[in-house]
Amino acid sequence: RKSVLEFPSQLEIVQTRDFEAPIQLVFDVFTKEEHVRRTIAPFGEQVTVCSIDLRVGGDYHYVFVTEDGYECSFRGTFLEVDPPIRSVQTWHFDGWPDAEAVESMDLQEADGVTSLTYTLTFHDQAGRDHMTKYDGLESNLDNVDAYLRSLLDEQGTFPG
């Protein structure tokens, strides 16, 4: 099950994906350190920092290191936190100091399936122009999907 990637405007990237898991668990996997640490690095890179202060005005910071030693550092501040359906936060990748964005996560559950709508909105075209590859976003959601399945398998509650 792959996500759908859309570009509703020149500054927006929207990714949607369904997970066969309850909404609260999906929200937790995206927002709690013990889960994010296991899923945030898209290609299995080593996660060296994972801190999340999940409240309006709270900050997050993730760092993972690639095999060749490149440090990928992401940080931001939560603007909106409405568990388990929505979070909105600023998004900053240290490798692109001029790229400011806001990311949001919206979740809806129906019949045991939670639908994610992830939106990344850049402040300007210069920032948006950095984003030329989407395999990391897709791979991150693959990680989340596999991790959710493993959690549900452990609980013996995975459907099918």
Side-chain angles (χ1 to χ4, degrees), residues 33-100:
E33 290 174 19
E34 66 267 25
H35 300 308
V36 172
R37 185 172 284 284
R38 295 166 172 256
T39 60
I40 193 69
F43 305 110
E45 300 89 345
Q46 181 192 1
V47 177
T48 56
V49 176
C50 180
S51 69
I52 300 169
D53 182 5
L54 188 66
R55 60 184 176 83
V56 172
D59 293 330
Y60 71 88
H61 186 201
Y62 314 128
V63 178
F64 50 87
V65 182
T66 64
E67 278 184 14
D68 56 4
Y70 183 71
E71 211 173 66
C72 300
S73 174
F74 295 87
R75 64 179 79 234
T77 302
F78 289 98
L79 305 174
E80 216 179 300
V81 178
D82 186 9
I85 58 169
R86 181 168 166 82
S87 72
V88 180
Q89 53 274 346
T90 59
W91 179 94
H92 182 81
F93 171 53
D94 288 352
W96 304 336
D98 62 337
E100 286 185 53

Side-chain angles (χ1 to χ4, degrees), residues 9-156:
S9 76
Q10 290 199 308
L11 300 180
E12 282 179 297
I13 299 163
V14 176
Q15 199 167 20
T16 53
R17 181 142 175 180
D18 290 343
F19 299 101
E20 287 184 22
I23 191 170
Q24 185 65 58
L25 182 60
V26 174
F27 186 86
D28 289 350
V29 165
F30 278 105
T31 57
K32 290 193 170 176
E33 290 174 19
E34 66 267 25
H35 300 308
V36 172
R37 185 172 284 284
R38 295 166 172 256
T39 60
I40 193 69
F43 305 110
E45 300 89 345
Q46 181 192 1
V47 177
T48 56
V49 176
C50 180
S51 69
I52 300 169
D53 182 5
L54 188 66
R55 60 184 176 83
V56 172
D59 293 330
Y60 71 88
H61 186 201
Y62 314 128
V63 178
F64 50 87
V65 182
T66 64
E67 278 184 14
D68 56 4
Y70 183 71
E71 211 173 66
C72 300
S73 174
F74 295 87
R75 64 179 79 234
T77 302
F78 289 98
L79 305 174
E80 216 179 300
V81 178
D82 186 9
I85 58 169
R86 181 168 166 82
S87 72
V88 180
Q89 53 274 346
T90 59
W91 179 94
H92 182 81
F93 171 53
D94 288 352
W96 304 336
D98 62 337
E100 286 185 53
V102 172
E103 69 179 345
S104 64
M105 170 182 76
D106 290 282
L107 299 173
Q108 289 181 321
E109 184 180 0
D111 302 321
V113 174
T114 299
S115 299
L116 161 73
T117 302
Y118 169 84
T119 306
L120 188 60
T121 306
F122 287 87
H123 285 254
D124 57 38
Q125 195 63 48
R128 169 67 181 84
D129 287 346
H130 283 290
M131 195 84 178
T132 55
K133 288 168 50 184
Y134 308 98
D135 56 333
L137 289 174
E138 181 70 33
S139 187
N140 177 255
L141 294 185
D142 289 346
N143 293 347
V144 168
D145 192 47
Y147 182 65
L148 282 166
R149 288 171 186 266
S150 74
L151 291 176
L152 292 168
D153 280 346
E154 282 172 20
Q155 297 171 4

